[in-house]
């Protein structure tokens, strides 16, 4: 779909489910739900939606969500700059958090035990990095797990 045809097919009214989409856009522990919200919101050319998409483009921790918001904004005729993939640590104190989780497990725990506990204790961290790292998530997390000596 070209930008022009995308713009022509957008609605100038807020969607009936705007409040639901707004909540989904802010759901920290589910990057896929945020991505879906961005794609649906991008069908409506309305200032509150443009503001929300701009916020997501500039602030979402997962690049795929930022990029989708950027593309939707461009499709709505907004003059925006593509977000940068280069980011600092997504969660302040990530190393401390991961070490704390590793230390909370029995000494002979497996990587899978660690992964499950991270997902239960810090779904926000797990989900964000899963979205950010994509297929490399398990390798990245395993390297982190292996690098922490908890003697």
């Amino acid at each position: 779909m070209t930008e022009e045809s995308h713009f022509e097919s957008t609605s100038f009214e807020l969607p009936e489910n705007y409040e639901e989409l707004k909540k989904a856009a802010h759901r920290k522990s589910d990057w896929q739900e945020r991505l879906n919200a961005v794609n649906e919101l991008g069908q409506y050319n309305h200032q509150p939606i443009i503001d929300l998409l701009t916020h997501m483009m500039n602030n979402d921790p997962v690049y795929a969500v930022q990029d989708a918001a950027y593309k939707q904004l461009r499709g709505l005729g907004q003059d925006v700059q593509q977000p940068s993939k280069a980011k600092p640590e997504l969660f302040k104190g990530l190393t401390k958090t991961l070490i704390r989780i590793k230390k909370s497990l029995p000494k002979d725990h497996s990587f899978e035990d660690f992964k499950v506990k991270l997902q239960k204790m810090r779904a926000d961290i797990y989900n964000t990095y899963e979205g950010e790292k994509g297929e490399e998530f398990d390798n990245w997390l395993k390297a982190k797990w292996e690098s922490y000596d908890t003697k």
Side-chain angles (χ1 to χ4, degrees), residues 14-27 33-34 36-42 44 49 52 56:
L14 284 173
E16 286 182 28
N17 62 342
Y18 173 69
E19 289 302 320
E20 271 178 51
L21 290 169
K22 189 174 167 183
K23 284 179 187 173
H26 288 92
R27 194 149 291 125
E33 196 166 338
R34 294 193 312 272
N36 292 338
V38 163
N39 289 327
E40 191 168 338
L41 286 164
Y44 299 89
I49 289 175
L52 179 57
M56 294 180 76

Side-chain angles (χ1 to χ4, degrees), residues 55-116:
H55 176 78
M56 294 180 76
M57 178 187 73
N58 292 326
N59 299 297
D60 199 279
V62 176
Y63 181 77
V65 176
Q66 288 181 333
D67 189 53
Y70 162 77
K71 288 175 180 168
Q72 293 298 338
L73 286 163
R74 294 288 299 188
L76 292 172
Q78 299 298 305
D79 182 21
V80 291
Q81 298 298 313
Q82 187 156 20
S84 170
K85 277 189 169 186
K87 294 183 196 161
E89 192 172 87
L90 301 177
F91 285 88
K92 187 175 179 177
L94 175 68
T95 299
K96 276 179 142 177
T97 301
L98 296 178
I99 289 172
R100 193 175 306 121
I101 290 170
K102 185 170 181 171
K103 283 183 173 182
S104 74
L105 292 163
K107 253 202 182 325
D108 63 345
H109 72 274
S110 68
F111 168 67
E112 286 301 319
D113 295 333
F114 174 75
K115 186 176 167 184
V116 166

Side-chain angles (χ1 to χ4, degrees), residues 10 16 33 38 137 149-150:
T10 58
E16 286 182 28
E33 196 166 338
V38 163
F137 174 70
D149 186 11
T150 57

